[in-house]
Amino acid sequence: MTSIRSSMVTRLNPTTLLPGILGGFSLWISLAGSLVDPLGVSRTASAEDRINVVWIIADDLGPELGCYGYPSVQTPNIDRLAHEGRRYTHAFATAPVCSSSRTAFQTGHYQTTVGGHHHITRDKQPLPDGITTVTQQMQKAGYFVCNGSGKADDKKFAKSHLNFQYKPQTFFDGVDWSQRTSGQPFFAQVQIKEPHRTFVHRDHEYANVPIPPYYPDHPITRADWGNYLASIEVLDRKVGAVLKRLDDEGLTDNTLVIFTGDHGRPHVRAKQWLYEGGLHVPLILRWPGRIAAKEVSDDLVSLLDLMPTTLTAAGADVPELPGINLLDPDTSGHDVLFAARDRCGDAIDRIRSARTKNFKYIRNFHPELPYMQHSGYKRLQYPVDTLMRVLHQRGEFDSPFMADRRPAEELYDLRTDPHEQHNLADDPRYATQLIRLRQSVDQWIVRTDDQGRFDESVNVDMDALMKEKRRWYEQSLRKRGLDPGLSDEEFLQWWDEYLHAEPSK
C-alpha cells in the first residue's frame, strides 16, 4: 500500500511564537489555543469544539444501495448521507468475514500481521508490541469512546468481535455518547446487525433486480436475494434514526460520520471469499463544511484507512500505519490493495489477493480443496449453496465454482470481467500482469509478516474444533426439524417452503 500522506495535526507552540509577537499579545492568545485541521483550516482545540466521530458499521453489506445505483431497494437515509458527503466507489475490506476484518480496521493493521486472521480465532493473543487500536488512540486524545446501536438507552455493548485479547470495559468507555461528561468529544461506533443473516422476510417481491450472473437465475435465488434487499431497507431505517438523533441533538455540523460495511455481502461466492462480492463495501464520509456535498471518489481505498482518517480528524496521534488519511486533499488512494482469507469455522483455507484498479490476482494455497467444501455455516444459512449443488447434480447448472479442485492462481481483468468469471492466469497475453501481482503478494507476505504461514494446529486442537462445529451443525438442523443426514434435494425442498412462506406477523 502507499504510505500515509498526511498523518498528524500540526500544533502551534506558543513559546516559539512569543519573541516575534510581543506587539501582538492578543494574536498570541488566539494562536496558543488553536490547531490546523487536516484540510488546512484553523479551529480551536477546546474540548467543546473538537470534532465528534461516528462510525456506522453495517454487518455484511455490499454496495446494493440506491446511492450506488442499485434499483428497487429503498435506502433514502443512506442516500441522504451520500448526498451530503463523499461516496467512495472502490472501497474494500482486508478480509471477507467479520472478526478478521474488524480486527484489521480496529488496529489499522492487516489481521494477518496481528495474528487475527482465522475467523473467531481460538488461540487469541494480546496484540503484538507496538500495535495500538483506534479506540486507545482516541481515548489518549481525551475522547469518550463508545460502542452501541446508536440508541441513548442502550445498556449493552454492541458487536465488536475481535480476534485478540481485550476487555470491552476498557476497550470502550461506555455504550453510548450520552454517558460522556459535559463537553467531552466522543468517538461512537454504531453497530447495525443488518443485513447479516438470518435475513428479515421480504413483504413484497423485488422483481427484475440484477443478481450476479454466477448464480442460477431461479425463484429460490431471487427469494433469498429479495430478503437481503429487505434487510438492507431495515438497515437504512436504523441509519436514519442515528442521523435524526445527531440532528435533534445539534451535533450534525460538528460530527464526522463514516458509514461502511465490515465486509461484503452474505452470499455464496461473496462472504468468506476474496472476490469482489466478499470485499467490496460501500464507504461514505460526511463532515459538513469540511467535505463537499455530492462528492464521488473512484480512488482505491481500504477499511485500513478508517483509523488514520479518524485520528487525524480528531487531532490524535497517528502511529505508523499502512492506511492513508482520506481527508488529505493530496491523496489519490492506493495503487494495490491486499486481502486475506483463512479458516472460517470448519472450512480450513488460506487465500491471498492483490487488487489494482484493473486486475485482481488470487492465490489459493490449498488448490486441492473444492470451492464448495463443506461449511456448516454456509449450508445452514445460504439456500443458493444447496440450489447450486442440486442443479449441478441434475446437469442443469455448471460453473468453475463447482469444480473438485481450484487453480493455484486466478487472474481477472476487472474492466471486461467485473464478476470475475474468466480466469486469465494461464493466458500468455496477461503474463506481465500475473507476474507483477504474484510478486506483489510475495513481497506483501514478507513485509507485513503474514502469520497465516504458521500451522494453526500447533496451538489449537483441530479435531476437537471440528467435532464441536459438527455438533453445532447437526443441532441446528434438528431445531429445524431436519435430519442431519438429509439429502441436498430434501434440503432444497425445505428452503423452497421457507423462502416462499408468508412472512410472520
Side-chain angles (χ1 to χ4, degrees):
M1 282 190 173
T2 54
S3 61
I4 300 174
R5 301 173 189 248
S6 175
S7 61
M8 296 184 65
V9 175
T10 302
R11 296 185 184 274
L12 300 181
N13 186 337
T15 62
T16 62
L17 293 171
L18 187 56
I21 57 172
L22 291 177
F25 184 72
S26 62
L27 176 61
W28 177 83
I29 292 295
S30 173
L31 289 172
S34 70
L35 53 82
V36 178
D37 78 6
L39 300 184
V41 180
S42 179
R43 55 188 176 89
T44 64
S46 63
E48 291 80 0
D49 293 332
R50 276 193 290 172
I51 190 72
N52 304 306
V53 182
V54 174
W55 286 6
I56 303 177
I57 305 170
D59 216 338
D60 297 16
L61 179 65
E64 287 76 33
L65 305 169
C67 56
Y68 279 83
Y70 196 84
S72 298
V73 65
Q74 302 300 309
T75 54
N77 297 295
I78 300 172
D79 297 350
R80 169 201 163 189
L81 197 63
H83 183 81
E84 296 173 350
R86 180 189 303 156
R87 176 173 62 86
Y88 288 87
T89 62
H90 288 75
F92 296 88
T94 63
V97 68
C98 54
S99 68
S100 304
S101 176
R102 289 168 181 266
T103 295
F105 64 70
Q106 295 283 359
T107 63
H109 289 273
Y110 292 101
Q111 67 278 4
T112 48
T113 299
V114 301
H117 46 294
H118 295 301
H119 179 43
I120 314 180
T121 298
R122 291 305 179 96
D123 182 34
K124 288 187 179 181
Q125 298 292 323
L127 287 173
D129 291 342
I131 302 292
T132 185
T133 67
V134 64
T135 56
Q136 289 173 323
Q137 294 300 104
M138 292 292 275
Q139 287 168 331
K140 289 178 183 178
Y143 274 73
F144 180 85
V145 177
C146 56
N147 184 42
S149 69
K151 298 177 180 178
D153 58 354
D154 273 354
K155 302 300 182 185
K156 296 181 179 179
F157 288 115
K159 177 177 183 176
S160 48
H161 214 175
L162 305 175
N163 290 334
F164 54 85
Q165 293 178 7
Y166 73 102
K167 294 181 180 179
Q169 293 78 9
T170 54
F171 199 84
F172 304 105
D173 299 313
V175 176
D176 185 76
W177 68 77
S178 60
Q179 300 167 336
R180 73 194 191 281
T181 60
S182 178
Q184 185 180 15
F186 64 87
F187 170 39
Q189 296 191 18
V190 175
Q191 313 289 346
I192 300 179
K193 180 257 181 186
E194 284 79 18
H196 193 290
R197 293 176 184 263
T198 301
F199 296 148
V200 301
H201 201 108
R202 68 204 181 283
D203 60 7
H204 67 280
E205 298 301 326
Y206 295 82
N208 302 317
V209 295
I211 58 174
Y214 38 77
Y215 299 144
D217 196 341
H218 185 280
I220 284 179
T221 307
R222 290 199 166 273
D224 185 57
W225 193 264
N227 288 350
Y228 169 59
L229 298 181
S231 299
I232 289 175
E233 292 179 347
V234 173
L235 160 69
D236 184 76
R237 291 192 288 273
K238 292 182 178 181
V239 171
V242 176
L243 299 182
K244 182 178 185 300
R245 182 181 172 195
L246 293 174
D247 288 342
D248 291 346
E249 295 181 10
L251 296 169
T252 297
D253 290 342
N254 197 42
T255 300
L256 167 63
V257 174
I258 299 178
F259 169 81
T260 190
D262 61 351
H263 57 78
R265 56 179 176 253
H267 289 277
V268 176
R269 203 180 178 271
K271 183 176 180 178
Q272 299 190 8
W273 294 101
L274 300 186
Y275 301 110
E276 297 291 276
L279 298 173
H280 192 191
V281 294
L283 178 62
I284 301 169
L285 274 61
R286 185 188 74 177
W287 188 359
R290 307 300 174 90
I291 296 175
K294 304 178 185 178
E295 282 192 0
V296 177
S297 173
D298 294 328
D299 290 349
L300 205 59
V301 299
S302 167
L303 293 187
L304 289 184
D305 301 334
L306 300 190
M307 182 168 170
T309 300
T310 296
L311 297 180
T312 305
D317 289 338
V318 185
E320 184 176 350
L321 297 168
I324 59 175
N325 168 26
L326 298 177
L327 299 174
D328 181 355
D330 295 326
T331 189
S332 57
H334 300 275
D335 296 324
V336 185
L337 294 180
F338 298 94
R341 178 260 162 96
D342 292 88
R343 181 183 56 77
C344 293
D346 50 0
I348 295 173
D349 222 322
R350 186 186 179 202
I351 315 173
R352 300 294 181 262
S353 70
R355 188 202 197 280
T356 65
K357 262 297 183 66
N358 297 327
F359 289 92
K360 166 80 71 62
Y361 168 84
I362 296 174
R363 180 178 301 171
N364 293 302
F365 285 81
H366 292 286
E368 74 280 3
L369 295 174
Y371 292 105
M372 298 283 282
Q373 69 164 309
H374 175 80
S375 164
Y377 165 76
K378 283 185 277 191
R379 183 162 170 80
L380 287 167
Q381 292 289 336
Y382 294 0
V384 176
D385 178 282
T386 298
L387 174 66
M388 290 167 63
R389 294 175 190 274
V390 168
L391 295 183
H392 185 69
Q393 292 162 8
R394 294 176 183 172
E396 299 173 8
F397 175 76
D398 197 17
S399 162
F401 204 69
M402 308 305 296
D404 293 334
R405 326 178 24 97
R406 310 177 210 170
E409 296 179 305
E410 301 175 49
L411 180 70
Y412 300 98
D413 186 337
L414 300 172
R415 299 166 298 183
T416 59
D417 183 23
H419 295 289
E420 302 160 296
Q421 293 184 276
H422 306 291
N423 183 12
L424 304 172
D426 293 330
D427 190 327
R429 294 174 297 175
Y430 293 88
T432 299
Q433 288 86 355
L434 178 70
I435 293 170
R436 179 168 62 89
L437 290 175
R438 176 194 292 152
Q439 291 175 343
S440 72
V441 168
D442 288 338
Q443 294 162 1
W444 175 83
I445 287 172
V446 174
R447 184 176 69 252
T448 63
D449 193 21
D450 182 354
Q451 300 295 297
R453 67 188 187 276
F454 298 119
D455 185 351
E456 186 184 17
S457 66
V458 172
N459 298 312
V460 175
D461 185 339
M462 299 302 291
D463 287 339
L465 188 154
M466 292 302 167
K467 288 178 182 178
E468 172 197 321
K469 293 295 181 182
R470 185 68 191 181
R471 285 195 301 271
W472 170 77
Y473 169 70
E474 293 179 352
Q475 289 169 359
S476 298
L477 283 174
R478 290 191 180 100
K479 287 179 181 178
R480 298 180 184 181
L482 299 172
D483 188 316
L486 84 170
S487 67
D488 289 335
E489 290 276 3
E490 292 169 329
F491 201 15
L492 187 63
Q493 179 61 36
W494 183 91
W495 276 118
D496 186 55
E497 294 171 0
Y498 170 80
L499 288 168
H500 292 93
E502 290 294 322
S504 58
K505 302 297 183 182

